[in-house]
Amino acid sequence: MPRPRAFDERQVLERAREQFWATGYAGTRMDDIAQATGLGKGSLYGAFGDKGKLFHRVFGDWCTAVVEVAEERLAGGPDAEALARLSGYVHLMAENTASDTERRGCLLAKGAAELAQHDPTVAGRSAETMTALLTLLRTEISAAQRHGDIDSAADPERLAALLLTVVRGIEAVGKAGLDPEALRNIADTALAVLPMPEGQKRLATGRSPARGG
């Protein structure tokens, strides 16, 4: 009968994530993970496999969390509130980036940039995450179109891709040092350029306080 693990798996994964997030995949050794988690390398290998498998686990968990945060804001509901949901999500991403004073950025972006070219697991998980975010945005845009807040003649797929590029781009330029107010202005501008029905004036939706991962 196997012996029960004498450690908190979630805590170990969180500490491993922090290490990968700080030093990147290539810059992280299993010795570093062992020191960060307080576990011996033998225990790490036994529980999670090699460094690649451990990173895949951490990266997959992060991608799941990214989608869950989006789902909290873009969970559907009355069509009349769809534009407000879109605004809340875009502003949330800007605020989260603005509050990242250490400029660590997003582990999804960092992991994909470093590994997606030659790691099929990372490439596939990244693509799945982007597709899920795109679907959530497209659904809300279509709802806003039904309500008359966005021009019904516009292509919701293209608008969703635009907003997805904006929110992911905000993270990139924020990490590069663009100041917080500029990040917030990017979010405002992206929402302002969504096409409205002819003759309609959009009411300001306001900025949302930062929360989520």
Side-chain angles (χ1 to χ4, degrees), residues 59-72 74 89 92-93 106-109 125 129-130 132-133 136 164 168 213:
F59 187 76
D61 287 349
W62 181 276
C63 290
T64 296
V66 167
V67 175
E68 287 176 347
V69 167
E71 287 174 338
E72 289 178 4
L74 307 173
Y89 177 67
L92 171 66
M93 295 298 99
C106 174
L107 186 60
L108 168 57
R125 195 68 176 85
T129 304
M130 292 298 116
L133 295 176
L136 289 166
L164 179 60
R168 303 312 302 179

Side-chain angles (χ1 to χ4, degrees), residues 70 74 82 85-87 89-90 130-144 150 156-157 159-168 191:
L74 307 173
R85 291 192 294 270
L86 284 168
S87 176
Y89 177 67
V90 174
M130 292 298 116
T131 298
L133 295 176
L134 191 66
T135 298
L136 289 166
L137 289 165
R138 183 180 64 242
T139 298
E140 294 291 10
I141 288 168
S142 295
I150 295 176
E157 186 77 26
L159 294 181
L162 171 64
L163 288 184
L164 179 60
T165 301
V166 168
V167 297
R168 303 312 302 179
L191 292 162

